[in-house]
Amino acid sequence: MTKTDIYHALRHRICFLDNQPGCRLNERELAAEFGVSRTPMRTVLQRLEYDGLIVSQHGTGTEVTSIDLSSIRDIYVVRMRLVDAMAESEALPITSQTLRDFNELEESCRALLHQGNKRQFADIIIRQHGILHGLSRNAPLRHFSDILFFRSAQFWFQLLERMDFARQVSDLLNELRMIRTALELRDVRLVATIHKAHLAIVLSRLNTMYSGKGEFSNA
């Protein structure tokens, strides 16, 4: 596996909560697991630390980071600004493969209405991000958008156990339907508008859940 492969594998583990916040990551054990030396593994861990997904401290080792509700709200505000930038950036062509991939996502999401599979739900969101992420030529924009997406995904997936899952699936399905229509029209600006509206809904729900003290309200 390349360093990029290992990076993606560990990032998914963290976001899928296979490695929970506070979980220790052992460089030597990970290097042995992926069949590489400790030098490339150290590079991967440094990249994950740069992304804010892990933290390394002298004397305590490396562990998966946690994030509070107030910080995640700030991240969503920035993500919405990045979507605005996406709308203004030069777009890559929307291909037939893009449409096929998105149709497949929509079908997978529709199946969740009867399955209740939270891990599959998370996978669909990550795949959707990958497609939208690939619509812009703006490399710095894609870079920061990717970091913030996975930083927020790590936290958002923790909330699924406390939220109305059926409503989350229904909201996502509605977003996918509208984005698919925008993609068929080859209108990236419209795609960005739809996705920003969905992020605004998420942020509004986070505000509703926020008690003002960094904790969830019981309401």
Side-chain angles (χ1 to χ4, degrees):
M1 298 181 70
T2 67
K3 287 183 289 187
T4 299
D5 292 333
I6 298 170
Y7 165 75
H8 287 154
L10 290 177
R11 186 172 67 173
H12 275 67
R13 287 184 188 180
I14 292 170
C15 289
F16 279 116
L17 305 180
D18 295 328
N19 293 119
Q20 295 276 343
C23 172
R24 295 290 179 88
L25 298 180
N26 185 286
E27 180 184 297
R28 186 191 306 274
E29 293 176 357
L30 288 171
E33 175 187 348
F34 288 102
V36 297
S37 69
R38 295 181 66 179
T39 299
M41 181 54 64
R42 188 173 300 117
T43 301
V44 170
L45 294 178
Q46 289 171 346
R47 185 175 175 186
L48 290 170
E49 185 169 19
Y50 172 79
D51 291 352
L53 295 174
I54 65 173
V55 60
S56 298
Q57 295 182 346
H58 181 70
T60 61
T62 301
E63 64 180 40
V64 177
T65 56
S66 59
I67 187 169
D68 60 37
L69 190 55
S70 179
S71 296
I72 201 65
R73 291 163 69 236
D74 292 340
I75 288 176
Y76 265 92
V77 170
V78 177
R79 286 186 63 194
M80 290 168 65
R81 299 298 179 265
L82 290 178
V83 173
D84 287 335
M86 172 186 167
E88 299 299 326
S89 298
E90 182 181 1
L92 290 168
I94 296 172
T95 66
S96 297
Q97 185 61 51
T98 303
L99 295 176
R100 286 193 293 270
D101 290 343
F102 220 82
N103 284 334
E104 182 181 335
L105 272 188
E106 189 177 334
E107 290 301 318
S108 297
C109 188
R110 187 174 293 107
L112 283 182
L113 293 172
H114 310 289
Q115 295 175 358
N117 188 322
K118 293 181 173 62
R119 192 178 185 91
Q120 181 65 20
F121 177 80
D123 180 65
I124 291 171
I125 292 178
I126 289 175
R127 288 160 58 197
Q128 178 199 25
H129 166 73
I131 295 173
L132 300 184
H133 182 251
L135 294 179
S136 174
R137 292 186 186 274
N138 190 322
L141 171 62
R142 294 200 309 268
H143 173 69
F144 288 110
S145 175
D146 206 41
I147 290 175
L148 291 180
F149 168 80
F150 281 97
R151 193 75 178 97
S152 59
Q154 177 197 22
F155 181 83
W156 186 250
F157 296 156
Q158 295 179 55
L159 298 184
L160 285 179
E161 296 297 330
R162 305 185 61 169
M163 303 180 75
D164 184 339
F165 183 67
R167 184 172 72 174
Q168 299 307 311
V169 174
S170 179
D171 285 351
L172 178 58
L173 184 57
N174 287 335
E175 182 193 11
L176 292 176
R177 286 168 176 161
M178 289 188 289
I179 289 179
R180 184 206 359 111
T181 299
L183 289 173
E184 290 171 347
L185 293 171
R186 303 304 198 271
D187 191 336
V188 173
R189 187 182 293 270
L190 180 56
V191 170
T193 299
I194 295 167
H195 188 51
K196 181 181 178 181
H198 181 75
L199 292 178
I201 291 172
V202 173
L203 180 59
S204 179
R205 286 185 177 153
L206 288 174
N207 288 333
T208 299
M209 297 171 71
Y210 190 57
S211 66
K213 298 179 181 180
E215 300 172 348
F216 291 110
S217 66
N218 293 323

